[in-house]
Amino acid sequence: GSGCLAALRTFAPGQGIIEDPACGSGNGSVAIEMRRRGLVPAELESWWAEQGAEIGRVSRIYLNVPADGSVARVGGAALLTIEGVLSL
């Protein structure tokens, strides 16, 4: 009912991320694989994925992968949740 073609979850506890509410690189990789496996209709070039519902931070990620699966474009709106400075 969400209008999304896929729902993803991303876990990276080794990097200090228990669960990522919106992972662009993960969604892009999955989008290319979905295209490669024929899980996306050939006439559909763009679709939405959803992530983060299980942790109360629902995200909708825009995905664009041409029929040849050559590249994934990932987008969406963002909300700043943390800010900091890294000093080396």
Side-chain angles (χ1 to χ4, degrees):
S2 67
C4 294
L5 194 58
L8 284 77
R9 295 183 81 180
T10 303
F11 305 94
Q15 302 300 315
I17 302 168
I18 297 170
E19 184 166 358
D20 192 341
C23 179
S25 58
N27 275 276
S29 299
V30 169
I32 287 177
E33 187 63 16
M34 287 175 67
R35 174 68 76 200
R36 188 183 76 76
R37 292 179 182 233
L39 300 172
V40 178
E43 67 277 4
L44 189 64
E45 192 166 301
S46 300
W47 64 93
W48 292 92
E50 189 173 88
Q51 188 172 347
E54 293 81 4
I55 59 171
R57 292 179 61 193
V58 178
S59 301
R60 288 177 55 94
I61 296 94
Y62 171 80
L63 302 164
N64 177 284
V65 180
D68 66 3
S70 59
V71 64
R73 289 181 180 82
V74 180
L79 174 67
L80 183 64
T81 60
I82 190 169
E83 187 173 355
V85 175
L86 175 63
S87 300
L88 301 175

